[in-house]
Coordinates of all heavy atoms in Angstrom, one line a residue:
E29 N 8.2 10.9 20.6 CA 9.3 10.5 19.8 C 9.2 11.0 18.3 O 10.2 11.0 17.6 CB 9.6 9.0 19.8 CG 8.5 8.1 19.1 CD 7.2 8.0 19.9 OE1 7.1 8.3 21.1 OE2 6.3 7.5 19.2
E30 N 8.0 11.4 17.9 CA 7.8 11.8 16.5 C 8.3 13.3 16.3 O 8.3 13.7 15.2 CB 6.4 11.6 16.1 CG 5.9 10.2 16.0 CD 4.4 10.0 15.8 OE1 3.8 11.1 15.5 OE2 4.0 8.9 15.8
V31 N 8.6 13.9 17.4 CA 9.0 15.4 17.3 C 10.4 15.5 17.6 O 11.0 14.8 18.5 CB 8.1 16.2 18.3 CG1 8.5 17.6 18.3 CG2 6.6 16.0 18.1
D32 N 11.1 16.3 16.8 CA 12.6 16.5 17.0 C 12.9 17.6 18.1 O 13.3 18.7 17.8 CB 13.2 16.9 15.7 CG 14.8 16.9 15.8 OD1 15.3 16.5 16.8 OD2 15.4 17.3 14.8
L33 N 12.6 17.2 19.4 CA 12.8 18.2 20.4 C 14.2 18.5 20.7 O 14.6 19.6 21.1 CB 12.1 17.7 21.7 CG 10.5 17.8 21.7 CD1 9.9 17.3 23.0 CD2 10.1 19.3 21.4
P34 N 15.2 17.5 20.5 CA 16.6 17.9 20.7 C 17.0 19.0 19.8 O 17.7 19.9 20.3 CB 17.3 16.6 20.4 CG 16.3 15.5 20.8 CD 15.0 16.1 20.3
S35 N 16.6 19.0 18.6 CA 17.0 20.2 17.7 C 16.3 21.5 18.1 O 16.9 22.5 18.1 CB 16.6 19.9 16.2 OG 17.4 18.8 15.7
F36 N 15.1 21.3 18.6 CA 14.4 22.5 19.1 C 15.1 23.1 20.3 O 15.3 24.3 20.4 CB 12.9 22.2 19.4 CG 12.2 23.3 20.1 CD1 11.9 24.5 19.4 CD2 11.9 23.2 21.4 CE1 11.2 25.5 20.0 CE2 11.2 24.2 22.1 CZ 10.9 25.4 21.4
W37 N 15.6 22.2 21.2 CA 16.3 22.7 22.4 C 17.6 23.4 22.0 O 18.0 24.4 22.6 CB 16.6 21.6 23.4 CG 15.5 21.3 24.4 CD1 14.5 20.5 24.3 CD2 15.3 22.1 25.6 NE1 13.6 20.6 25.4 CE2 14.1 21.5 26.2 CE3 16.0 23.1 26.2 CZ2 13.6 22.0 27.4 CZ3 15.5 23.5 27.5 CH2 14.3 23.0 28.0
M38 N 18.3 22.9 21.0 CA 19.5 23.6 20.5 C 19.2 25.0 20.0 O 19.9 25.9 20.2 CB 20.2 22.7 19.4 CG 20.8 21.5 20.0 SD 21.8 20.5 18.8 CE 23.1 21.7 18.5
T39 N 18.1 25.1 19.2 CA 17.6 26.4 18.7 C 17.3 27.3 19.8 O 17.8 28.5 19.9 CB 16.4 26.2 17.8 OG1 16.7 25.4 16.7 CG2 15.9 27.6 17.3
F40 N 16.6 26.8 20.8 CA 16.3 27.7 22.0 C 17.5 28.1 22.7 O 17.7 29.3 23.0 CB 15.4 26.9 23.0 CG 15.3 27.5 24.4 CD1 14.7 28.7 24.6 CD2 15.9 26.9 25.4 CE1 14.6 29.3 25.8 CE2 15.9 27.4 26.7 CZ 15.3 28.6 26.9
S41 N 18.5 27.2 22.9 CA 19.7 27.5 23.6 C 20.5 28.6 22.9 O 21.0 29.6 23.5 CB 20.6 26.3 23.8 OG 19.9 25.4 24.6
E42 N 20.6 28.5 21.6 CA 21.3 29.5 20.8 C 20.7 30.8 20.9 O 21.3 31.8 21.1 CB 21.4 29.0 19.3 CG 22.3 27.8 19.1 CD 22.2 27.2 17.8 OE1 21.4 27.7 16.9 OE2 22.9 26.1 17.5
Q43 N 19.3 30.9 20.7 CA 18.6 32.1 20.8 C 18.7 32.7 22.2 O 18.9 33.9 22.3 CB 17.2 32.0 20.3 CG 17.0 31.7 18.9 CD 15.6 31.7 18.4 OE1 14.7 32.2 19.1 NE2 15.3 31.0 17.3
F44 N 18.6 31.9 23.2 CA 18.6 32.4 24.6 C 19.9 33.0 24.9 O 20.0 34.0 25.6 CB 18.2 31.3 25.5 CG 17.7 31.7 26.9 CD1 16.4 32.2 27.0 CD2 18.5 31.8 28.0 CE1 15.9 32.6 28.2 CE2 18.1 32.2 29.2 CZ 16.7 32.6 29.3
M45 N 21.0 32.4 24.5 CA 22.3 32.9 24.8 C 22.6 34.2 24.1 O 23.5 35.0 24.5 CB 23.4 31.9 24.4 CG 23.3 30.6 25.3 SD 23.5 31.0 27.0 CE 23.7 29.5 27.7
N46 N 22.0 34.4 22.9 CA 22.3 35.6 22.1 C 21.3 36.8 22.3 O 21.4 37.8 21.6 CB 22.3 35.2 20.6 CG 23.5 34.4 20.3 OD1 24.6 34.6 20.8 ND2 23.3 33.3 19.5
R47 N 20.4 36.7 23.3 CA 19.4 37.7 23.6 C 19.5 38.1 25.0 O 19.9 37.3 25.9 CB 18.0 37.3 23.3 CG 17.8 37.0 21.8 CD 16.3 36.7 21.6 NE 16.1 36.2 20.2 CZ 14.9 35.7 19.9 NH1 13.9 35.7 20.7 NH2 14.7 35.3 18.7
H48 N 19.1 39.3 25.3 CA 19.1 39.8 26.7 C 17.8 39.4 27.4 O 16.7 39.7 26.9 CB 19.3 41.3 26.7 CG 19.2 41.8 28.1 ND1 20.2 41.6 29.1 CD2 18.2 42.5 28.8 CE1 19.8 42.2 30.2 NE2 18.6 42.8 30.1
V49 N 17.9 38.8 28.5 CA 16.8 38.5 29.4 C 17.1 39.1 30.8 O 18.1 38.6 31.4 CB 16.5 37.0 29.4 CG1 15.4 36.7 30.4 CG2 16.1 36.5 28.0
S50 N 16.3 40.0 31.2 CA 16.6 40.5 32.6 C 16.0 39.6 33.7 O 15.1 38.8 33.4 CB 16.0 41.9 32.7 OG 14.6 41.9 32.5
H51 N 16.6 39.7 34.8 CA 16.1 39.0 36.0 C 16.2 37.5 35.9 O 15.5 36.7 36.5 CB 14.6 39.4 36.4 CG 14.4 40.8 36.4 ND1 14.9 41.6 37.4 CD2 13.7 41.6 35.6 CE1 14.5 42.9 37.2 NE2 13.8 42.9 36.1
L52 N 17.2 37.0 35.1 CA 17.4 35.6 35.0 C 17.9 35.0 36.3 O 18.8 35.5 36.9 CB 18.5 35.4 33.8 CG 18.7 34.0 33.4 CD1 17.4 33.3 32.8 CD2 19.8 33.9 32.3
V53 N 17.4 33.9 36.7 CA 17.8 33.1 37.8 C 19.2 32.5 37.5 O 19.3 31.8 36.4 CB 16.8 32.1 38.3 CG1 17.4 31.2 39.4 CG2 15.5 32.8 38.8
Q54 N 20.2 32.7 38.2 CA 21.5 32.2 37.9 C 21.7 30.8 38.3 O 22.6 30.5 39.1 CB 22.6 33.2 38.6 CG 22.5 34.6 38.0 CD 22.7 34.6 36.5 OE1 23.6 34.0 36.0 NE2 21.9 35.4 35.8

Side-chain angles (χ1 to χ4, degrees):
E29 71 281 349
E30 295 175 6
V31 180
D32 189 6
L33 289 179
S35 292
F36 173 68
W37 272 96
M38 289 185 67
T39 300
F40 164 69
S41 297
E42 290 168 3
Q43 289 186 22
F44 201 79
M45 294 301 191
N46 291 319
R47 295 185 190 174
H48 175 73
V49 174
S50 62
H51 309 292
L52 187 62
V53 172
Q54 296 303 312

